[in-house]
Amino acid sequence: GNSVTQMEGPVTLSEEAFLTINCTYTATGYPSLFWYVQYPGEGLQLLLKATKADDKGSNKGFEATYRKETTSFHLEKGSVQVSDSAVYFCALITSGTYKYIFGTGTRLKVLA
Amino acid sequence: EAGVAQSPRYKIIEKRQSVAFWCNPISGHATLYWYQQILGQGPKLLIQFQNNGVVDDSQLPKDRFSAERLKGVDSTLKIQPAKLEDSAVYLCASSLDTEAFFGQGTRLTVV
């Protein structure tokens, strides 16, 4: 079946450090891929998405590239801020179903 | 644009009691989801509606959970009777196409 695997957290970084959160997926067909972010006490918010191979999603300095050959969608940011501290979820939907499948989430803590 | 509204934000009940959650999706969104998010885990789909029809309820524990979406707009999720393991955040989301918009969730504690 379809699934998403994320690197386990927590990830603790100093401000301005480089961030990578790994995400790989298993899916039939051609899924769309997403990163959602959840700040403390809030619901999930879409951070970025990519709908086909080689697409790069970007938002707020975060980027992720849809790599079909490695079935990956790793999240990166060149310089993290304290305000980026949150839980990040990788997710996919398969074409036609609009059924989201989420990874387990990776908690990021950025220290000043 | 108003977001997805959920109520209540928090609920504490004793095991074997019943509880209901309410969700008002973004206007015009045909697809509505209910997810269960247990602490430290990713959201797990309980049920997905397309307008007022059920698309997927394969992971809904139907002996105790029920959900409805009358008139294809608002939705309620009910648990009866609740168990300790039902303690979680219940998230409602809606979508028009591929992007889902989430509410703030209802945190349920079963004691």
Side-chain angles (χ1 to χ4, degrees):
Chain A
N2 300 329
S3 65
V4 174
T5 302
Q6 287 182 238
M7 63 185 287
E8 290 194 17
V11 173
T12 303
L13 296 173
S14 298
E15 206 165 24
E16 298 183 4
F18 185 85
L19 168 71
T20 299
I21 300 178
N22 290 338
C23 170
T24 57
Y25 67 90
T26 302
T28 54
Y30 302 96
S32 294
L33 303 174
F34 304 82
W35 277 100
Y36 276 81
V37 59
Q38 187 173 35
Y39 298 102
E42 298 186 15
L44 279 71
Q45 302 173 27
L46 179 66
L47 181 60
L48 53 84
K49 66 179 181 181
T51 58
K52 61 183 188 296
D54 300 325
D55 268 4
K56 177 186 283 188
S58 62
N59 185 26
K60 299 181 181 180
F62 291 88
E63 293 183 341
T65 301
Y66 188 141
R67 301 284 187 202
K68 191 170 186 296
E69 63 277 13
T70 54
T71 63
S72 65
F73 193 54
H74 304 322
L75 182 68
E76 296 182 337
K77 186 175 185 183
S79 176
V80 293
Q81 305 300 312
V82 172
S83 57
D84 294 326
S85 297
V87 181
Y88 293 81
F89 292 92
C90 186
L92 66 82
I93 58 172
T94 51
S95 56
T97 67
Y98 297 126
K99 176 181 174 180
Y100 275 79
I101 295 171
F102 286 89
T104 54
T106 302
R107 181 174 300 277
L108 170 66
K109 185 173 182 180
V110 181
L111 305 176
Chain B
E1 174 181 90
V4 176
Q6 289 188 247
S7 67
R9 286 294 311 276
Y10 306 92
K11 190 74 176 180
I12 301 174
I13 62 171
E14 295 182 349
K15 59 184 179 183
R16 292 188 290 274
Q17 285 188 322
S18 62
V19 64
F21 312 128
W22 174 82
C23 173
N24 182 243
I26 293 173
S27 177
H29 282 193
T31 306
L32 185 147
Y33 311 82
W34 282 102
Y35 284 88
Q36 180 192 58
Q37 186 178 17
I38 292 173
L39 186 66
Q41 299 181 18
K44 183 186 86 171
L45 180 68
L46 292 175
I47 189 166
Q48 177 181 349
F49 292 95
Q50 183 75 14
N51 295 308
N52 60 347
V54 175
V55 174
D56 187 336
D57 63 357
S58 57
Q59 298 194 82
L60 186 74
K62 298 182 186 62
D63 57 334
R64 298 185 302 106
F65 286 64
S66 64
E68 60 181 8
R69 189 183 185 196
L70 298 176
K71 301 181 181 178
V73 182
D74 292 7
S75 177
T76 55
L77 176 70
K78 297 180 182 177
I79 308 175
Q80 182 180 10
K83 293 185 175 181
L84 295 177
E85 59 260 36
D86 298 333
S87 295
V89 176
Y90 291 84
L91 296 166
C92 179
S94 69
S95 70
L96 189 59
D97 46 42
T98 57
E99 179 179 349
F101 294 80
F102 284 79
Q104 290 186 296
T106 296
R107 181 177 299 278
L108 173 67
T109 303
V110 183
V111 298

